[in-house]
Amino acid sequence: MSGPGAPPPVRHPIFARFYARMSPLMERGLGRYRTRLLHGLSGRVLEVGAGAGANFDHYPAEVTGVLAVEPEARLRRAATAAARRAPVPVEVVDGLADRLPAGDRSCDAVVACLVLCTVPDPANALAELFRVVRPGGRLRFFEHVQAGEPARRRMQRLADATVWPIVSGGCHTSRDTAAAIANAGFVIDDIETLQRSDTGMPFPAAPQILGTAHRPGDG
């Protein structure tokens, strides 16, 4: 994305290199949850913050196309390579969560996977997801969130205020993402809290939530 008034490009080269290399190891704990995240989807899907494309292999055959939005150039190149091997058609594009390159109500489902921790404004990102999904369409989410224990939440807030976002591609660990999803107008249908023992993701990137929501309305 470029031109007058355009936001600066998203660049996290060190994190992107590390993330792309570590993804195969992470999938030992995360792969089955990616499958659960995407199970039952059909039609046209938008995935925001696609990263290196780890979700692509898990889309069911009923999905007719995925628009995968990834702003970081190195990760976008990795996602483009992964798209060529995907079992469903995947188009990888540059774009930001707060200005998604899709029309109003143009998608049957939207997917947010380990991305709402990194966006500058989760409310704006979720408003965009709400905009592009059709009434009755689904939001699938798998995100790490603030801990339940006050002491751990304080540790997460300290990490967020110091080095964690710098070394983790802008990640913030102490967000209440379930509340943000509901505040954006989505109705949460089911939600499960996962721990390190489930996914292998350590604190402060634990716990995580996995669930589905929908945009109210007809259709």
Side-chain angles (χ1 to χ4, degrees), residues 109-158:
V110 289
V111 174
C113 181
L114 302 178
V115 64
L116 294 176
C117 60
T118 68
V119 298
D121 189 330
N124 282 347
L126 284 160
E128 275 290 274
L129 291 173
F130 190 89
R131 176 184 69 81
V132 304
V133 72
R134 64 170 175 79
R138 298 289 171 175
L139 165 66
R140 298 293 182 88
F141 56 91
F142 176 39
E143 298 285 341
H144 67 80
V145 295
Q146 67 178 11
E149 305 87 345
R152 284 183 169 250
R153 287 201 299 271
R154 287 193 293 270
M155 293 172 65
Q156 287 176 321
R157 288 195 292 268
L158 177 61

Side-chain angles (χ1 to χ4, degrees), residues 61-79:
E62 292 77 12
V63 170
T64 57
V66 178
L67 181 64
V69 181
E70 175 50 54
E72 210 289 324
R74 181 179 291 270
L75 290 175
R76 192 166 60 250
R77 288 194 295 271

